[in-house]
Amino acid sequence: MDRKGKLAVAMAIMVLIGWQMWYPAQMEKARRAQEQLAASTSENPLAVVSSASPAATPKSASEAPPNSVAPSTPNPVPIPEAKVEPKRVETLRGVEAEWQFTSLGGGVERVTLLNHQSEGAAVVMNQFGGIPIGALTEVLENPVLDSYATEVVGEGKTVVFRRTDARQLEVEKRFTLKASMAGSAALPAPFELDFEVRFANRSGSPLTVPNYAVRLGSSAALHGKDLPIYTGVNRFLAGSAKFTDINWFSGGGFLGFGKKERPVYSETGSISWAGVTNQYYATIVTPKEGALPEVVARRFEIRAEDWAAAGRSASSTGPVFAIDAGVKLSSETLAPGQEVVRRFTVFSGPREYRILSAIGGEQEQMLDFGMFSIVSRILLSSMNGLKGLLGSY
């Protein structure tokens, strides 16, 4: 190796030795700096981690350092929480029934029959399920219950609900204690309400009113041992009454095999009236003009704690089911400023032949007398006459 080669090797060795002495010292210095920075960061979470890392985003504008530059990715704009109106409850009281209304859904939350008792307490209609009678929902299951502004008018005999949605579709509902039976001012209507719903287009363009389901509320057995075949949905279709009990939702099958749950019952046609019922009481909604295109229903299980809280006797046959139903409205498109009104009668009370017959619309057909209908009706009228005369059956 010549002189130049030896000199190059010597210089390389010196550089290598110098690097080995300098590099560990720099690493130690960096480590100490990181420890100090970590300690200061734990005391001040808004401190900058390092000059090479992006700046920490301030929690608010008041915490941002002066002359700071906004990060390249904008922070999401906070969405204001929707204003939820507190639930408001109003009550209309008649001779036979007390109607409790709720602003959540804009309808009848429950009906207490003042002169009817079961297991030592007044009979309560629509006690389970949580869907008001007269509520408007687009789906039967998991419905959205809108909040309505509430007002009592008409000398305390009418409850009015109002709301306007984001599309500027105004909905107004009126529930009024009914003074007399249909067609007779002499017959009182202790278990009835007049129900009116008005849709108005307050926007500048056409709006479509959805085919809302007008909810009928729910019905459940009065006692834990009542047969489920008496709880279900009634409707008057094509000149005759039809009834579907809650066992339908368990599905078909043969000898218990091949059953498949049916979540929703639906029937289309010209529906004159529809109702939910148990063995002794019913809630019926009847349109005053024309008929309705569809009835829908579902079965739901009543929680054991809710059943017990209502003072009901325990069931020895397993869970207790209830029925929940609605009648569909026809969809309609409204021009700007146009309104449409739908009118109904709501009955919630005992399934007594004389009462249902006086209401009209052949609602007494809810009582299925079977193949001996004529004989059964004569016997029933005779028994009711004796009760009226003697005070007892």
Side-chain angles (χ1 to χ4, degrees):
M1 182 181 295
D2 59 8
R3 184 177 179 182
K4 291 182 178 180
K6 293 179 180 179
L7 181 61
V9 172
M11 291 181 64
I13 294 173
M14 292 176 63
V15 170
L16 181 59
I17 294 173
W19 171 261
Q20 290 178 344
M21 295 177 62
W22 176 83
Y23 182 74
Q26 294 300 315
M27 292 299 294
E28 178 64 19
K29 186 185 294 184
R31 185 185 64 79
R32 292 177 181 177
Q34 289 177 356
E35 289 179 352
Q36 293 175 359
L37 187 59
S40 63
T41 303
S42 63
E43 295 176 358
N44 180 13
L46 297 179
V48 177
V49 176
S50 70
S51 59
S53 63
T57 304
K59 292 184 178 179
S60 66
S62 61
E63 295 172 342
N67 302 323
S68 61
V69 179
S72 58
T73 302
N75 293 324
V77 178
I79 300 174
E81 293 185 3
K83 185 179 180 181
V84 179
E85 296 291 337
K87 177 181 174 180
R88 179 173 170 181
V89 176
E90 297 290 347
T91 301
L92 298 183
R93 187 182 178 95
V95 177
E96 291 276 358
E98 182 179 85
W99 305 77
Q100 181 176 301
F101 297 85
T102 172
S103 61
L104 190 59
V108 182
E109 188 168 50
R110 58 178 54 196
V111 186
T112 302
L113 305 183
L114 303 175
N115 298 313
H116 292 255
Q117 290 197 338
S118 175
E119 299 191 4
V123 172
V124 178
M125 309 292 290
N126 196 33
Q127 193 166 14
F128 306 101
I131 310 298
I133 303 166
L136 302 175
T137 65
E138 295 190 54
V139 294
L140 192 69
E141 295 181 295
N142 302 319
V144 175
L145 297 179
D146 297 310
S147 181
Y148 286 76
T150 309
E151 183 182 9
V152 179
V153 298
E155 299 180 350
K157 295 183 178 181
T158 299
V159 175
V160 181
F161 296 106
R162 295 186 183 92
R163 76 177 299 272
T164 303
D165 66 17
R167 302 182 304 154
Q168 296 303 298
L169 177 65
E170 182 182 85
V171 181
E172 180 184 277
K173 302 179 186 180
R174 288 179 175 266
F175 294 87
T176 303
L177 288 175
K178 195 168 181 179
S180 59
M181 292 281 188
S184 176
L187 294 174
F191 304 103
E192 290 185 89
L193 291 176
D194 283 325
F195 169 37
E196 176 182 295
V197 56
R198 178 176 59 86
F199 301 100
N201 182 358
R202 301 306 183 197
S203 74
S205 57
L207 287 179
T208 299
V209 180
N211 59 329
Y212 285 120
V214 179
R215 305 303 287 259
L216 310 180
S218 64
S219 184
L222 289 183
H223 318 96
K225 296 181 180 180
D226 287 351
L227 294 176
I229 58 172
Y230 295 116
T231 300
V233 56
N234 265 104
R235 63 273 184 205
F236 194 75
L237 176 66
S240 63
K242 299 178 69 177
F243 176 70
T244 301
D245 67 69
I246 56 176
N247 286 331
W248 179 91
F249 296 89
S250 297
F254 178 72
L255 297 178
F257 297 98
K259 285 191 174 183
K260 186 177 181 181
E261 285 284 327
R262 298 164 172 167
V264 174
Y265 176 84
S266 173
E267 186 171 16
T268 58
S270 183
I271 310 296
S272 299
W273 52 260
V276 290
T277 179
N278 60 28
Q279 190 170 357
Y280 307 101
Y281 300 91
T283 296
I284 309 170
V285 172
T286 306
K288 291 187 176 182
E289 300 96 9
L292 297 166
E294 184 180 4
V295 60
V296 288
R298 71 183 181 100
R299 182 182 73 172
F300 65 94
E301 182 179 343
I302 302 173
R303 297 190 306 173
E305 54 267 34
D306 294 338
W307 182 260
R312 305 292 181 91
S313 58
S315 171
S316 59
T317 59
V320 178
F321 291 97
I323 193 78
D324 171 28
V327 283
K328 289 289 193 77
L329 300 178
S330 299
S331 179
E332 190 164 353
T333 299
L334 302 180
Q338 186 180 0
E339 299 182 355
V340 62
V341 179
R342 308 286 177 85
R343 297 178 178 87
F344 307 87
T345 297
V346 178
F347 168 86
S348 196
R351 296 178 55 187
E352 293 185 18
Y353 180 81
R354 60 181 181 83
I355 295 177
L356 296 176
S357 179
I359 291 175
E362 299 189 78
Q363 294 192 22
E364 72 276 8
Q365 286 200 33
M366 174 177 283
L367 306 176
D368 186 5
F369 291 104
M371 61 184 298
F372 301 104
S373 175
I374 296 177
V375 176
S376 298
R377 295 187 189 202
I378 293 174
L379 289 175
L380 180 61
S381 296
S382 301
M383 291 175 64
N384 286 333
L386 289 173
K387 180 179 183 295
L389 180 65
L390 304 175
S392 172
Y393 286 111

